[in-house]
Amino acid sequence: MADSLSVAQGREYLAIPGPSVIPDQVLQAMHRPSPNIYEGALHSLTEAIIPDLRRVARTRHHVALYICNGHGAWEAALSNVLAPGDRVLVPATGRFGHGWGEVASALGAEVELIEFGKSSPMDMDRIADSLRADRRHEIKAVLAVHVDTSSSVRNDIAALRAVLDDLGHPALLMVDCIASLGCDRFEMDDWGVDVMVTASQKGLMVPPGLGLVFFNDRAAARRAQLPVVSRYWDWQPRAQPQEYYQYFGGTAPTHHLYGLRAALDLIHGEGIEHVWARHERLANAVWAACAAWGQGNGPLRMNVANPAHRSHAVTALRIETGQGTALREWLTDNLGLTLGIGLGMAASDDPARHRFFRLGHMGHVNGQMILGLLGGIETGMRALGIAHGTGGVEAAAAVIAGR
Ligand SMILES: *Cc1c(COP(=O)(O)O)cnc(C)c1O
């Protein structure tokens, strides 16, 4: 390698699929002395957060707030709808589908897994077959992942609802939107989603630490039938967080609430439809660059072949020559740009793991950041002598310029 002078000093860019870039407005909102948790501003702030969260999730229904990450939100949601021995259907399109199923299994559920591999979306016919075979309606819930962050596959949740409806199957439709909320279009009520889980550190642009579970009245009815529900995860009292934290829930997640307030102001100030359109445009720019790099003998490939099945929040890539890890390390050391590792695509002791990496383009990202990300990758490939087609950044610029 020729003359290498690190130019990493300056503001770092963490382009991994969560935690995402935190806006200055969120950081500043959190930079304050502890507020009084018993009265005052924190209470009105918490109360006003609820309707604004509903607007992001596109639901009229309930939302429970937890101090936890996404794994906690998975367990919280399941704890309110499953009793040990209940059956759940898990149509997995990546590592996170499996992960949610494992949490259900650890809670005593009987998990029926449908494996769709690591680069394809759900096949609704296979899901229909499983539900049709369940004549006695023993399957209590379908655990779907909207965007599986490991594979960057995006699933068609409205189509999944239609499968349940066509068969008259009463299973709850539960959806993990941890990666997709605030990035990819999601319509909880219009798509007939009964339970949705998310977390603060991706499209919501707040540090990890808040888990959110949205649920409708069908799901609430299931909760009411359960003989016991874990005290901490019970969503019933938490659906009134301003009272919950004051009277029976322990200390509120004070600074996260201030951060979330600022993040919701950013999202609704921009408009959720615009937020989705921005992510779509920037994702198209990323894909245009990746496609150009893969031309000719370029070893770089997007994990999901069909753009219609790709998330707008994250792009998983494969580099046949196994230089993914080297590229990531070079970019961090030399440009202050950090890409995501491959997750769940190969075992941690398998050399093939070096073939995979991911680009996070979720949340607080704009055109200059994406162009910097892509220009950085092109620079790293050049420095490391990774063969690639030319014109990647130019192709991305054309997408962003709209011509
Ligand atoms: C990040 C993520 C999770 C896990 O969230 P943690 O906060 O890391 O526990 C689960 N599902 C999806 C789709 C994710 O993107």
Side-chain angles (χ1 to χ4, degrees), residues 47-63 181-190 196 198 204 212 214 260-261 263-276:
E47 195 155 6
I49 275 175
I50 300 306
D52 288 342
L53 279 172
R54 287 197 190 108
R55 285 164 66 206
V56 177
R58 310 280 264 196
T59 183
R60 290 174 287 110
H61 298 290
H62 318 285
V63 52
L181 193 76
C183 306
D184 285 283
R185 174 179 290 275
F186 175 77
E187 305 274 1
M188 177 161 169
D189 292 355
D190 283 0
M196 185 268 275
T198 196
L204 291 177
L212 303 141
F214 296 77
L260 183 59
R261 174 70 267 160
L264 290 168
D265 287 343
L266 285 170
I267 290 171
H268 293 308
E270 180 178 351
I272 188 72
E273 297 273 355
H274 195 278
V275 169
W276 293 332

Side-chain angles (χ1 to χ4, degrees), residues 319-396:
I319 184 160
E320 287 312 333
T321 49
Q323 291 152 294
T325 303
L327 179 63
R328 282 193 302 100
E329 288 173 352
W330 192 91
L331 291 173
T332 299
D333 293 346
N334 291 280
L335 298 193
L337 169 66
T338 298
L339 311 183
I341 60 167
L343 198 67
M345 304 300 279
S348 57
D349 57 353
D350 181 345
R353 74 184 184 281
H354 297 300
R355 287 191 196 143
F356 302 100
F357 63 100
R358 292 173 301 157
L359 313 180
H361 34 96
M362 51 176 53
H364 196 62
V365 286
N366 60 20
Q368 57 94 2
M369 294 166 77
I370 293 298
L371 288 166
L373 167 71
L374 299 172
I377 293 170
E378 223 168 80
T379 307
M381 291 196 294
R382 186 185 183 105
L384 295 174
I386 298 174
H388 60 281
T390 56
V393 171
E394 199 176 335

Side-chain angles (χ1 to χ4, degrees), residues 17 69-72 74 96 145 147-149 176 178-179 199 201-202:
N69 61 14
H71 280 67
W74 276 344
F96 288 102
V145 177
V147 164
D148 200 302
T149 324
D176 170 342
I178 298 172
Q201 79 272 25
K202 299 191 184 177

Side-chain angles (χ1 to χ4, degrees), residues 16-71:
I16 73 174
S20 64
V21 172
I22 304 174
D24 287 344
Q25 292 91 327
V26 171
L27 290 171
Q28 282 157 8
M30 297 180 79
H31 191 104
R32 63 174 64 235
S34 286
N36 185 357
I37 58 168
Y38 299 111
E39 59 188 22
L42 190 65
H43 290 169
S44 42
L45 179 131
T46 307
E47 195 155 6
I49 275 175
I50 300 306
D52 288 342
L53 279 172
R54 287 197 190 108
R55 285 164 66 206
V56 177
R58 310 280 264 196
T59 183
R60 290 174 287 110
H61 298 290
H62 318 285
V63 52
L65 258 63
Y66 299 86
I67 300 185
C68 64
N69 61 14
H71 280 67

